[in-house]
Amino acid sequence: MNPLLVASFVVPLLGSDTVSDTLSDTLRVQSPVVDSIASDSAQAKVPFGHADFTWMNGQSRQRSTPLQLGKHVTGSLYLDTYFSQSNNRPRDNTIVGSASIGRSGEFQINLASVGVSWNYQNVIGRIELQSGSMLNIVQDLDGSVGRGRNLTTSGLRNIRQATAGYHFAKGYGIDVEAGIFASYVGLESYLLGENWNYHRSLVCDFTPFYFQGVRASFYPTQKLKLEPWIMNGFQTYGRWNAAPSVGFSTYYRPTGSLGLIGNFYYGSDQRGNPGRKRFHHDNSVLLRYLDRPTSRGISKMAFSLNSHYGFEQGGNGPSAGQAYMAGTSFVNRVWFNQDKLALAVRAELVTNPSRYLAPVPTPGGFTDGGTGFTARGLTATFDVMPTDFFAVRAEVMTRASSVPFFAGPGGTTSVDGYLGTPGDFTPDVRRAQTLFTLALNFRL
């Protein structure tokens, strides 16, 4: 399994007595926005229905659902296209060191998705299909499918999410579902259009984008979600060893200006090494500290802080003192002109000394032949958002690492940049990279 790999249509799918008009197609954040409540009860209990959370990092901006296909079914469309240029200008047009995009100097469809979600007589679910170049750096690198037969990435790569389950009308709801989900680990969404920056942070690139398994979402109050998980592995369609993985997620939103998140994961995720266990934790704070939605000057200001710590120990491998991952991402965003424009600036840092989570920069792995890895970056993103459904994004991102990690001018493929070309070739990998990106994001 390549740890480059993350998004969840985490919808508060309520029972027959209450139906929430949900807008969350994020990987880890549940939408609280309720356009309308199609319910026979005037006292519908809607999780996170006490405020508008569309300002949050990793959250859908939509305040309505135009593709309502009836009382029980809602459709969704998503399109992400981009043009990006690396200052290193790799000969093979391949960007490495990012799980958000994979090509330089080209126009690309990064992700296209279409789907439906349903809620009928307490039966809930969703099917989201996907295609695009992002699949090559996320789903296609899942090595767990090599254990045994009858499981391939080609058979599942075009399914972004497919889940079915049942809603129990207890408290503010209990939803039990099984299938392929967006990952709950981390803050930022698999759908880049939902994040404050177009490129995901380093800490999110190092953690999962999807899980296959079972989860139960329990809402004891309107402001709190508790969610235990059982899954095959750390972003895997299959299992590496005999035991499944377990996890737990907590969301708490006491007010419309504050969100707190805590996530935990534990499993066995190393091929042929069942005694080696992996633990991962991340937590997030999101705070909106200014809100003047009618202002034509500064209309909103907010920040998000997402911090990670994880390690591996036991079995065959280095101790947790060497095999650990730690990192953080801080983003401050300022909205202008009644939230039609926004500028987000991010600072980030990650370290992974044994490289057990670091994505490899070339098909043959790291080129320095050593251990140790740290990386840092700065990103500035300017968004033009004429509606909740469309955004034009311009971004500059610069990153540097302690070891060669980013594609250089010679590329990482072959002597002429094409796959399969014979000849002696040494991948050209550098310690720094700056990307200039222009993207269009559309969703309904």
Side-chain angles (χ1 to χ4, degrees):
M1 185 272 301
N2 186 301
L4 254 178
L5 322 178
V6 146
S8 178
F9 199 93
V10 184
V11 181
L13 295 161
L14 306 181
S16 57
D17 57 333
T18 66
V19 178
S20 173
D21 197 5
T22 62
L23 310 173
S24 176
D25 202 3
T26 76
L27 88 132
R28 307 156 168 93
V29 180
Q30 176 169 353
S31 174
V33 179
V34 181
D35 250 2
S36 61
I37 301 175
S39 171
D40 296 332
S41 168
Q43 304 299 322
K45 293 184 175 181
V46 181
F48 302 127
H50 58 292
D52 180 352
F53 297 102
T54 56
W55 61 270
M56 285 187 167
N57 195 1
Q59 175 72 60
S60 170
R61 294 189 296 112
Q62 287 182 246
R63 292 178 170 85
S64 62
T65 52
L67 298 183
Q68 194 68 43
L69 306 179
K71 182 178 179 180
H72 305 290
V73 179
T74 302
S76 66
L77 296 173
Y78 178 80
L79 181 63
D80 168 20
T81 68
Y82 74 90
F83 177 91
S84 189
Q85 181 65 62
S86 167
N87 69 316
N88 292 335
R89 297 184 177 272
R91 172 169 48 195
D92 55 4
N93 298 96
T94 301
I95 292 174
V96 297
S98 170
S100 299
I101 66 172
R103 303 290 291 181
S104 172
E106 297 175 346
F107 296 95
Q108 287 289 329
I109 294 178
N110 205 27
L111 190 69
S113 180
V114 59
V116 295
S117 63
W118 62 87
N119 175 357
Y120 181 67
Q121 295 185 357
N122 283 21
V123 176
I124 59 178
R126 66 196 61 77
I127 296 176
E128 300 287 328
L129 304 180
Q130 65 178 356
S131 187
S133 60
M134 191 194 298
L135 276 61
N136 295 285
I137 52 177
V138 179
Q139 285 80 3
D140 285 359
L141 300 180
D142 184 350
S144 71
V145 299
R147 187 171 189 247
R149 295 176 291 168
N150 305 326
L151 183 65
T152 64
T153 55
S154 61
L156 296 174
R157 73 192 298 270
N158 296 114
I159 299 175
R160 183 161 67 84
Q161 292 190 94
T163 70
Y166 196 81
H167 170 79
F168 299 88
K170 301 294 183 181
Y172 275 76
I174 301 175
D175 298 336
V176 180
E177 302 168 89
I180 296 176
F181 301 90
S183 166
Y184 65 91
V185 178
L187 173 66
E188 291 167 307
S189 175
Y190 177 77
L191 303 183
L192 303 182
E194 297 185 340
N195 301 326
W196 289 354
N197 301 102
Y198 182 68
H199 281 80
R200 298 185 204 90
S201 63
L202 286 163
V203 289
C204 283
D205 272 359
F206 277 45
T207 51
F209 297 142
Y210 62 84
F211 289 120
Q212 184 157 234
V214 179
R215 74 179 180 196
S217 304
F218 174 42
Y219 305 90
T221 73
Q222 188 179 48
K223 301 177 181 181
L224 178 65
K225 180 180 74 167
L226 305 174
E227 195 170 80
W229 290 67
I230 301 176
M231 52 239 151
N232 289 335
F234 201 79
Q235 185 167 297
T236 64
Y237 292 124
R239 288 188 326 203
W240 289 107
N241 298 294
S245 301
V246 295
F248 194 84
S249 179
T250 303
Y251 287 84
Y252 180 49
R253 294 175 175 177
T255 72
S257 297
L258 177 64
L260 304 173
I261 303 170
N263 300 312
F264 301 87
Y265 173 91
Y266 180 78
S268 175
D269 292 282
Q270 193 172 110
R271 175 179 174 176
N273 195 4
R276 189 132 181 101
K277 306 301 182 182
R278 176 177 297 174
F279 169 82
H280 197 90
H281 163 67
D282 80 275
N283 57 78
S284 299
V285 178
L286 299 102
L287 177 65
R288 182 181 61 190
Y289 55 92
L290 184 147
D291 189 26
R292 300 184 299 190
T294 61
S295 172
R296 295 210 174 262
I298 295 177
S299 52
K300 192 182 275 86
M301 300 178 74
F303 74 78
S304 71
L305 177 66
N306 179 220
S307 299
H308 290 241
Y309 177 74
F311 61 85
E312 288 190 332
Q313 65 179 4
N316 300 317
S319 67
Q322 174 71 10
Y324 72 89
M325 178 269 206
T328 191
S329 170
F330 177 83
V331 191
N332 192 76
R333 196 182 203 205
V334 181
W335 288 256
F336 306 90
N337 190 26
Q338 300 178 336
D339 298 345
K340 295 294 193 296
L341 306 172
L343 174 65
V345 178
R346 178 179 68 204
E348 55 184 337
L349 175 69
V350 65
T351 182
N352 186 201
S354 71
R355 305 178 183 178
Y356 75 93
L357 280 183
V360 296
T362 75
F366 282 84
T367 60
D368 66 327
T371 59
F373 177 86
T374 61
R376 62 190 183 278
L378 289 173
T379 305
T381 309
F382 185 75
D383 290 339
V384 180
M385 304 169 289
T387 75
D388 295 346
F389 313 108
F390 179 76
V392 180
R393 321 193 71 184
E395 180 171 280
V396 57
M397 179 180 72
T398 184
R399 284 174 171 169
S401 64
S402 61
V403 297
F405 188 62
F406 307 100
T412 57
T413 304
S414 71
V415 292
D416 65 356
Y418 286 86
L419 284 169
T421 301
D424 293 334
F425 174 70
T426 300
D428 183 7
V429 191
R430 305 297 175 93
R431 295 190 180 189
Q433 175 178 263
T434 298
L435 294 176
F436 305 90
T437 304
L438 181 66
L440 302 180
N441 295 143
F442 164 81
R443 64 169 298 165
L444 282 179

